[in-house]
Amino acid sequence: EALAVANEVVETITPMENPGPEFARIRCLAWLNMGSCYWHMGAHQPALASFALAEEGFQQLGALHLLPAVANNRGLVLLEMGRVREAKAAFELTAKAALAAQTPLPQGQALANAARASGLLGEFDEALARFAESQAILDGLSVTDVAIILRETADVYLALNLYEEARTGYDDSVRRLREAGARRHLGGALWGMGAWALATGDHAVARQSLAEAVEIFVESDNAISLSGVLLERASLHLTTGDQEAAQADAAQALALVSGADLAAPQAFAHLRMAEALWHAPERAEPHLKQAQFLSGSVGLPHLLFRCQLRAGQLRRRQRRLAEARQSLEEAVNQVERLRGRIPQEAVRASFMGDKAEAYEAWVALLLEMGESDKAFEAAEHAKSRTLVDALNMGGRAKLSAEMSAGQAIHGELMAVYNRLLGSDPSVQSPGMKEQLHKRARDLEAQLQSIAIEFPGRSASGIGADRSGLAPLSAPLPWEKICALLPNGVTLVEYFCAGEEVMAFVGHRGALEVRPQLCKLSQVRALSDRLAVQLQRCETPRRKDPAVQAGLMASCRRVLTELYALLVEPLRPHMEAVRSPEGLGLVVVPHGLLHRLPFHAFCDSDGRYLIDDYEISYAPSATVFGLCAQLEHRSLERAVLVGSHTDVLPSIGLEIDTLRGLMSESVVLRDAGATIDAVRQSGVGHDLLHFASHAIYRTDNPLYSALQLADGWLTAADLLSMPLNGAMVTLSACESGRAHIRGGDELIGFSRAALAAGASTVVVSGWRVDDASTARLMEAFYTQLLAGKGRAAALRSAQLALRSEHPHPWHWAPFSLSGQR
């Protein structure tokens, strides 16, 4: 009906012999509205033609203030057609013109649209900066526009796997759009909420949100958005195992966008159709080919990545290995290019969360093609890359200007921690405790928001400054790793691809691979059993001799089974190199294998792996290599930090003993062990030794903390300290526990110390015995000061303690990562 009225206006004015400026202006406005009508009806070429007529007419009339509206609408059409770079240019032109004309509403809308285009192009830094600026401009001018910006900002967060930030944005957007009665845009927010729920495994919320979005888009006859929601629902069906429903939704989605100039929506539909038909490769292939063809024409990185990944997987099934390799390498290259656009370390780590499938397929294919060295390097691409980025910056993990601005928040958080973890009886009531927990979570969320904030905003939101981006680092090749391995040291790197656990065994001159070592589910079951066995040792009854014998026997059974799965098949390769000093071993775990104490694995004869090897660990072979290249520092300048409590009386003894061994050390003990003192004294020293109570935060590992005299030193605090090659020992419970993110990033104390520039980190994997730990540390430093290497000294100390306390719970909690 609107289009008919607009046509009537144009047909009335056009025959006029000399229409005056007012009639000419009205005709241009009609063309502008005709373009919008065509766009909403899915007729993109007529829409562009109408906008071209409106633009030419406004220019002739000198109505330059109306040109931004034409450019903005043209950009929206181009965006929907998949011509995203052209759309982005149109939006940027609109924003500049609106800024010059001092018209904030069109300026804010154009900036938001430019941000959306940037997000689709994988320019996440520009997208989030522009969304923030446009929201600031539109706040108070348009409730609906602000709600849409919240939704589209959440879309970018979801693409980066920042799930909590995405959920908050979708919740807020849905609430505001419901209140505003903006049904069409509410459908978009519900679509995003459904995608978030699917990504986080909340299938009930995904089903409910997507169903309501389908209802809204059917009601509004919005075919393109309806197609997108149906594709999301098809993905949900695939996740829950309903292939027929997935095929039906994908087919309907494809039909809705077929026959129009909509390359991007069609490509997504063909790709999802191929995934729904994955069980029938001959039927999936035509859809996949069409998706690849269309994705090449629109150039959306995420779409290109998914198409190349699926193409590589399909070609491998068809035994077309060379083609499979080409596709998988291109998929990985897409990920690497996108990583390079992300400035913040925390965001780079989260971004890799759902990309492991591509690296796993790439490694498996290279092994199948007999290229072990290349497969090893591919595995390294999948491990701890943001940590490698930090190390290649020289460990310069300093607080940014934004984090400095968050110091007041940090101070309040420390006060909340002190109240929660102190002895104040008023805090012990459930209500007060929950209130403090909630406040702590809110403050941590604020600090996290600052940590992931993207730099580079400009006054107009155009041309963001990218000078603050951290460099994108490549893993070290095997030849370089091999050259850095000392004589007599073997490196064993594990890699998990789906259910398959494989291992690379290398030393100077050789690299062997053992595929299909075992199933990941087997390791997971044993890891869970081991955790139970270690927890049983914390009970007071463990001191009873009969109980000790039972605990020892049951724990060793699990450790023997782990040895049989993960070590025994590798021993012939591991022992191929010997030196007069014995055998050295660097273990590089992957995934849940990071939780396992390999040095405590024992064979069927009861011989532990530590009996034969000086063992160290590393998050990746590249991290080991980078730590190995750091200048080796003596322990002459040491800082000993100890804060004892009633439940940990041996901390004072530990600090006194170590001070006796290292007479020139700086000692920060009890009341002197403050956060500021640690920060000031830690700079420029060779060794930082912490002996204190610690808490591991399963919900937020970056805020795991060591108790000091005036508060809590978190992993985030440690990350901000310039450690410059120092050795760091955290003599505390669970200081080595970590949350394993996608991309095999370990979030916890050990990673924080390495990222801050530590050369070696010694941490514990479980709750430790206070007295045993003090004796272990005395023996460890005695051996170090006598000239032994770090890995050798820890081994000697553990073997000595084992002679007194044979259960691994006592002697095996500590491990050493980095420089040996």
Side-chain angles (χ1 to χ4, degrees):
E1 291 83 357
L3 182 62
V5 173
N7 267 314
E8 188 177 355
V9 171
V10 171
E11 289 169 359
T12 301
I13 295 174
T14 299
M16 293 182 182
E17 188 170 339
N18 280 308
E22 186 60 23
F23 279 117
R25 180 177 177 277
I26 290 172
R27 181 172 59 176
C28 290
L29 289 171
W31 277 328
L32 176 60
N33 290 341
M34 285 172 70
S36 295
C37 292
Y38 281 127
W39 169 46
H40 285 295
M41 294 166 67
H44 296 88
Q45 293 299 344
L48 292 176
S50 298
F51 290 142
L53 290 169
E55 185 173 50
E56 183 181 358
F58 286 138
Q59 285 174 338
Q60 290 174 353
L61 289 167
L64 303 183
H65 65 288
L66 292 171
L67 291 176
V70 183
N72 193 62
N73 284 357
R74 182 170 65 245
L76 290 169
V77 175
L78 292 169
L79 196 66
E80 203 163 80
M81 295 171 71
R83 293 161 62 179
V84 182
R85 292 204 178 276
E86 293 175 69
K88 181 183 170 186
F91 296 138
E92 289 175 344
L93 180 67
T94 304
K96 285 180 179 177
L99 177 63
Q102 297 185 330
T103 49
L105 184 62
Q107 181 197 359
Q109 291 170 333
L111 279 174
N113 289 332
R116 185 180 171 201
S118 294
L120 291 170
L121 292 168
E123 298 163 355
F124 304 118
D125 52 336
E126 292 180 16
L128 290 177
R130 287 172 171 176
F131 274 135
E133 188 173 357
S134 62
Q135 184 176 344
I137 292 169
L138 294 171
D139 198 23
L141 294 177
S142 171
V143 172
T144 300
D145 279 322
V146 169
I148 294 167
I149 289 169
L150 289 170
R151 172 262 163 118
E152 293 184 336
T153 302
D155 289 343
V156 176
Y157 283 139
L158 185 59
L160 293 166
N161 302 314
L162 294 167
Y163 296 124
E164 186 57 31
E165 290 76 11
R167 182 196 62 78
T168 301
Y170 289 131
D171 277 345
D172 201 3
S173 179
V174 167
R175 177 183 57 78
R176 292 180 188 225
L177 291 168
R178 283 197 195 281
E179 290 172 357
R183 289 278 290 170
R184 176 170 176 266
H185 296 299
L186 174 62
L190 288 165
W191 175 5
M193 178 65 80
W196 166 83
L198 176 57
T200 56
D202 194 337
H203 297 158
V205 170
R207 199 170 288 111
Q208 179 183 344
S209 300
L210 295 175
E212 188 177 354
V214 166
E215 179 185 325
I216 289 171
F217 291 136
V218 168
E219 165 194 303
S220 61
D221 198 24
N222 189 335
I224 296 172
S225 295
L226 177 59
S227 173
V229 177
L230 289 171
L231 293 177
E232 203 72 58
R233 196 168 70 178
S235 185
L236 174 62
H237 291 317
L238 286 173
T239 302
T240 56
D242 191 345
Q243 280 191 320
E244 283 191 24
Q247 288 177 40
D249 273 351
Q252 184 182 352
L254 182 57
L256 285 167
V257 293
S258 293
D261 190 6
L262 297 168
Q266 287 174 15
F268 278 113
H270 279 293
L271 176 60
R272 191 54 44 81
M273 198 70 198
E275 291 172 337
L277 294 169
W278 204 248
H279 61 287
E282 69 286 349
R283 295 175 62 197
E285 183 166 14
H287 289 288
L288 189 53
K289 280 185 175 179
Q290 189 64 12
Q292 283 185 282
F293 171 74
L294 292 167
S295 66
S297 68
V298 296
L300 300 183
H302 181 69
L303 176 59
L304 287 165
F305 162 70
R306 299 300 302 179
C307 286
Q308 295 293 357
L309 170 60
R310 293 293 178 241
Q313 291 170 323
L314 185 63
R315 297 293 175 260
R316 186 183 173 205
R317 289 173 66 187
Q318 296 170 328
R319 310 305 303 155
R320 296 156 63 179
L321 300 187
E323 295 173 64
R325 178 177 183 169
Q326 183 179 354
S327 293
L328 290 174
E329 288 182 351
E330 181 52 37
V332 168
N333 286 338
Q334 286 292 337
V335 175
E336 297 292 318
R337 283 192 283 269
L338 288 171
R339 276 189 74 241
R341 291 205 61 91
I342 300 172
Q344 301 289 29
E345 180 187 345
V347 186
R348 282 189 183 182
S350 69
F351 171 72
M352 295 297 288
D354 60 347
K355 310 301 186 298
E357 189 179 3
Y359 292 89
E360 291 171 9
W362 187 27
V363 172
L365 176 66
L366 289 169
L367 286 178
E368 196 171 347
M369 298 177 76
E371 298 189 32
S372 300
D373 287 16
K374 294 293 184 185
F376 174 84
E377 290 173 25
E380 281 290 292
H381 272 82
K383 291 188 172 190
S384 298
R385 297 290 301 290
T386 58
L387 176 55
V388 171
D389 293 340
L391 292 175
N392 276 318
M393 292 179 70
R396 296 194 306 270
K398 298 178 182 176
L399 286 177
S400 64
E402 291 88 350
M403 284 300 288
S404 298
Q407 288 305 295
I409 300 172
H410 186 273
E412 185 183 350
L413 180 62
M414 291 300 102
V416 173
Y417 282 174
N418 287 336
R419 290 196 66 195
L420 265 174
L421 300 165
S423 56
D424 184 352
S426 68
V427 176
Q428 301 312 308
S429 67
M432 176 58 75
K433 208 164 218 180
E434 178 51 38
Q435 185 178 338
L436 288 170
H437 275 298
K438 182 179 184 306
R439 184 58 183 157
R441 288 192 295 268
D442 289 345
L443 292 167
E444 288 166 358
Q446 290 178 45
L447 288 173
Q448 170 70 0
S449 179
I450 292 171
I452 66 173
E453 190 171 303
F454 281 66
R457 288 182 200 166
S458 60
S460 66
I462 305 300
D465 174 17
R466 300 178 49 75
S467 61
L469 293 188
L472 188 64
S473 302
L476 296 178
W478 166 244
E479 292 79 10
K480 181 70 171 177
I481 300 292
C482 184
L484 291 167
L485 281 172
N487 287 328
V489 175
T490 298
L491 182 141
V492 175
E493 174 157 332
Y494 293 90
F495 190 77
C496 305
E499 263 293 291
E500 180 185 347
V501 180
M502 62 187 73
F504 300 88
V505 183
H507 46 76
R508 288 194 166 187
L511 179 67
E512 305 286 341
V513 63
R514 181 64 187 262
Q516 299 176 338
L517 198 61
C518 60
K519 296 295 183 186
L520 190 59
S521 56
Q522 296 173 286
V523 180
R524 184 179 291 108
L526 289 171
S527 175
D528 292 342
R529 283 173 55 195
L530 180 61
V532 171
Q533 295 302 325
L534 294 172
Q535 286 169 3
R536 290 174 65 196
C537 296
E538 298 170 17
T539 64
R541 291 185 63 239
R542 73 178 190 274
K543 296 182 180 179
D544 181 284
V547 173
Q548 279 186 339
L551 291 174
M552 181 74 171
S554 54
C555 185
R556 284 184 61 157
R557 276 195 295 272
V558 180
L559 293 169
T560 301
E561 290 183 60
L562 284 166
Y563 178 94
L565 284 181
L566 295 171
V567 176
E568 190 170 14
L570 307 178
R571 284 301 287 261
H573 304 301
M574 291 164 59
E575 295 178 4
V577 55
R578 284 184 178 272
S579 74
E581 295 80 20
L583 291 171
L585 181 64
V586 179
V587 178
V588 181
H590 189 218
L592 68 85
L593 276 68
H594 285 288
R595 301 171 185 161
L596 301 176
F598 283 80
H599 55 286
F601 290 1
C602 60
D603 63 21
S604 55
D605 295 326
R607 187 168 180 82
Y608 292 98
L609 195 60
I610 198 174
D611 288 324
D612 297 324
Y613 292 91
E614 296 169 0
I615 300 171
S616 67
Y617 295 81
S620 73
T622 299
V623 171
F624 165 77
L626 294 172
C627 289
Q629 292 179 77
L630 294 172
E631 180 185 357
H632 181 72
R633 292 167 64 169
S634 68
L635 305 183
E636 294 174 1
R637 297 175 300 166
V639 178
L640 308 177
V641 184
S643 182
H644 84 275
T645 67
D646 292 340
V647 295
L648 298 172
S650 295
I651 284 177
L653 174 63
E654 181 176 328
I655 294 298
D656 286 344
T657 301
L658 298 187
R659 176 165 53 183
L661 294 173
M662 294 175 275
S663 57
E664 301 300 317
S665 58
V666 174
V667 178
L668 305 175
R669 183 175 170 182
D670 299 333
T674 65
I675 294 172
D676 281 344
V678 168
R679 285 178 174 157
Q680 291 171 17
S681 301
V683 177
H685 281 80
D686 303 322
L687 167 68
L688 273 73
H689 179 96
F690 292 88
S692 71
H693 173 55
I695 53 169
Y696 173 70
R697 290 282 302 280
T698 55
D699 59 332
N700 200 343
L702 199 57
Y703 288 92
S704 298
L706 299 166
Q707 187 176 27
L708 299 182
D710 63 340
W712 296 81
L713 186 81
T714 67
D717 294 325
L718 190 61
L719 179 64
S720 72
M721 295 174 62
L723 297 177
N724 301 327
M727 176 176 168
V728 176
T729 300
L730 302 181
S731 178
C733 292
E734 302 182 304
S735 57
R737 287 187 64 187
H739 173 67
I740 304 165
R741 279 189 177 173
D744 210 42
E745 297 288 349
L746 305 174
I747 310 302
F749 274 119
S750 183
R751 183 187 185 281
L754 289 171
S759 60
T760 302
V761 182
V762 178
V763 289
S764 67
W766 53 81
R767 294 177 66 84
V768 297
D769 179 76
D770 184 38
S772 298
T773 298
R775 286 198 293 279
L776 177 75
M777 291 301 163
E778 179 183 6
F780 175 45
Y781 286 108
T782 299
Q783 295 287 336
L784 279 174
L785 294 168
K788 274 200 173 182
R790 296 172 183 183
L794 183 59
R795 173 179 179 266
S796 294
Q798 289 172 324
L799 292 177
L801 185 60
R802 194 178 80 191
S803 65
E804 300 176 40
H805 299 285
H807 196 294
W809 182 75
H810 284 278
W811 61 263
F814 286 93
S815 61
L816 181 149
S817 294
Q819 200 174 88
R820 292 172 56 82

